[in-house]
Amino acid sequence: MAKTKLTNLIKSKVLAVEEKVIKIRRIIHQNPELSFAEKETAALAAEEMKNLGFEVKENIYGTGVTATFINSSDPTAKTLLIRADMDALPVQEKNSLNFKSKKEGVMHACGHDGHTAILIGTAIVLKKLAQEFEGNLKFVFQPGEETSGGAAGMIKAGILKNPSVDAAIGLHLWGSSPKGVVEYKTGPLMAATDSFDLEIIGNGGHAARPQNTIDPIPIGAEIVSALQTLVSRRIDPLDSAVISVCNFEAGTTHNIIPDRAILKATVRSLKSEIREKLATNIKKIIANICDIYGADYKLDYNFGYPAVINDAALTKILAQAAVKVLGKERVQKRQQAEMGGEDFAYFNQSIPAVFYFLGIAPPGQIINHHQSDFQFDDSVLKDGVAVMVQTALDFFAN
Ligand SMILES: [Zn+2]
Ligand SMILES: [Zn+2]
């Protein structure tokens, strides 16, 4: 089929499914479920996938669901994975929507309700367009993105096999990008999110006789300052890194030097070399400063989600597909990465993958994710479906 004719066919199929996608998004929004408790959401997704006749697997790494659509008899046909996250947040919704959260203290405040609805819509449209492509699709509904992450666990459970997956794609509705605009970027898009818990073990005593103590507070203060020099003096100014000590607890009152201080920090970076360099040097700084003052310490350094790194060839397919369905003016190349994290990153560690943003911000506004007044206009969902469908078809045609 001619290219523009195919794009027009996609657009008409997307419009036909839009009402259903909005309805699904609102049902999920009204019934939000916290990370790894996405039972009803997973059941809804599984039900829709079964109705399409796909092979559905449930309860993968908790509540994860996969649906496989084999649309080629050729054993060498390519397989594309499309992923959505399903979890909500422990936030009390303050919006006055008629589909507002029915659950006290739980809310879809990040847009994952939209991601799940877009993926269901994408599957429905791709099934309708089965004659227009040859290849296999794996639709992945994953749990727990907001906490410890479900992607790595699902990959470990084997979702990249049978059939073997060649590439992965995912999106995030994005509050700082203009409504209905796709933003793409080759290479690093989102940061690796590491963290550490440090306990400085000193030796407390009378505040008036500091010479008889090992005071953990100035030791902690010195560590906090020294960590900042890692970013300002050890990392290339054109590279990115963040170290934020967000918790520093010690002591109880004016006249007692405490025994211990607790520090908690997040460490973010976009490149694996920098990630390693930060970890090594943070450990060194802590060990050496504690040593100078005779303090002991316990350090728990935790490597979290890796960075989201977009494959160049796939990003190009995505960007061109987005232009076809949305028009040039609604597709923008991003210059900068985000220092936020996203466990879609585990896909790009195994196979070529691309993650992109679909803007939800009305003109002149920014929508803050994870806040009680987070909301977006349902009309962007059809754009997400259209971009996913066109990208999938172009991926198979490539
Ligand atoms: Zn979030
Ligand atoms: Zn999110």
Side-chain angles (χ1 to χ4, degrees), residues 149-170:
M154 287 187 82
I155 291 169
K156 239 185 215 158
I159 63 164
L160 298 184
K161 293 179 217 140
N162 299 319
S164 161
V165 175
D166 297 286
I169 183 165

Side-chain angles (χ1 to χ4, degrees), residues 339-354:
M339 294 313 279
E342 165 59 65
D343 82 337
F344 181 80
Y346 288 103
F347 291 104
N348 63 244
Q349 289 220 314
S350 314
I351 49 174
V354 62

Side-chain angles (χ1 to χ4, degrees), residues 46-316:
E47 175 76 16
E48 291 292 338
M49 295 300 106
K50 283 176 196 163
N51 289 343
L52 293 169
F54 301 157
E55 190 206 330
V56 176
K57 289 194 179 132
E58 294 172 77
N59 306 315
I60 306 170
Y61 195 64
T63 56
V65 175
T66 62
T68 306
F69 176 19
I70 302 289
N71 193 39
S72 171
S73 50
D74 180 353
T76 64
K78 288 196 282 185
T79 299
L80 177 68
L81 181 154
I82 312 178
R83 170 270 205 180
D85 41 10
M86 303 185 285
D87 52 334
L89 288 155
V91 171
Q92 176 66 42
E93 177 156 14
K94 287 207 181 112
N95 295 314
S96 55
L97 302 163
N98 60 11
F99 55 93
K100 178 183 165 168
S101 169
K102 286 199 270 191
K103 285 190 190 155
E104 193 67 21
V106 186
M107 177 193 175
H108 269 290
C110 200
H112 300 187
D113 50 343
H115 304 168
T116 303
I118 287 171
L119 185 54
I120 293 170
T122 300
I124 295 171
V125 174
L126 282 167
K127 177 74 197 289
K128 288 209 169 102
L129 295 174
Q131 291 192 328
E132 307 302 330
F133 70 97
E134 245 208 82
N136 309 316
L137 288 149
K138 199 168 265 189
F139 303 99
V140 171
F141 299 87
Q142 81 150 74
E145 196 284 326
E146 298 286 6
T147 57
S148 55
M154 287 187 82
I155 291 169
K156 239 185 215 158
I159 63 164
L160 298 184
K161 293 179 217 140
N162 299 319
S164 161
V165 175
D166 297 286
I169 183 165
L171 67 73
H172 209 299
L173 295 171
W174 210 245
S176 54
S177 308
K179 190 171 117 185
V181 168
V182 159
E183 291 188 351
Y184 68 95
K185 183 181 179 296
T186 298
L189 178 72
M190 297 182 81
T193 54
D194 305 330
S195 63
F196 68 80
D197 289 77
L198 171 66
E199 182 180 4
I200 302 167
I201 306 162
N203 185 15
H206 198 291
R209 288 189 288 279
Q211 72 278 18
N212 298 333
T213 71
I214 296 172
D215 185 350
I217 294 177
I219 298 172
E222 207 161 317
I223 289 171
V224 174
S225 306
L227 291 178
Q228 297 313 313
T229 67
L230 274 182
V231 177
S232 67
R233 305 289 86 176
R234 302 295 292 274
I235 303 291
D236 184 327
L238 296 177
D239 278 324
S240 305
V242 177
I243 302 175
S244 292
V245 178
C246 297
N247 182 265
F248 188 154
E249 275 174 45
T252 51
T253 187
H254 304 80
N255 57 358
I256 304 169
I257 290 172
D259 281 325
R260 281 155 210 272
I262 305 282
L263 277 73
K264 294 181 186 188
T266 188
V267 181
R268 301 194 174 208
S269 55
L270 296 169
K271 292 182 182 165
S272 57
E273 318 86 87
I274 296 198
R275 190 183 197 195
E276 292 300 327
K277 189 173 181 178
L278 288 169
T280 308
N281 285 290
I282 286 170
K283 288 173 193 168
K284 252 192 214 167
I285 283 175
I286 291 169
N288 286 307
I289 293 178
C290 286
D291 182 53
I292 291 167
Y293 298 104
D296 213 343
Y297 69 94
K298 274 187 211 150
L299 175 64
D300 184 9
Y301 198 95
N302 168 39
F303 286 100
Y305 298 166
V308 172
I309 313 281
N310 284 332
D311 177 77
L314 272 181
T315 307
K316 195 173 165 195

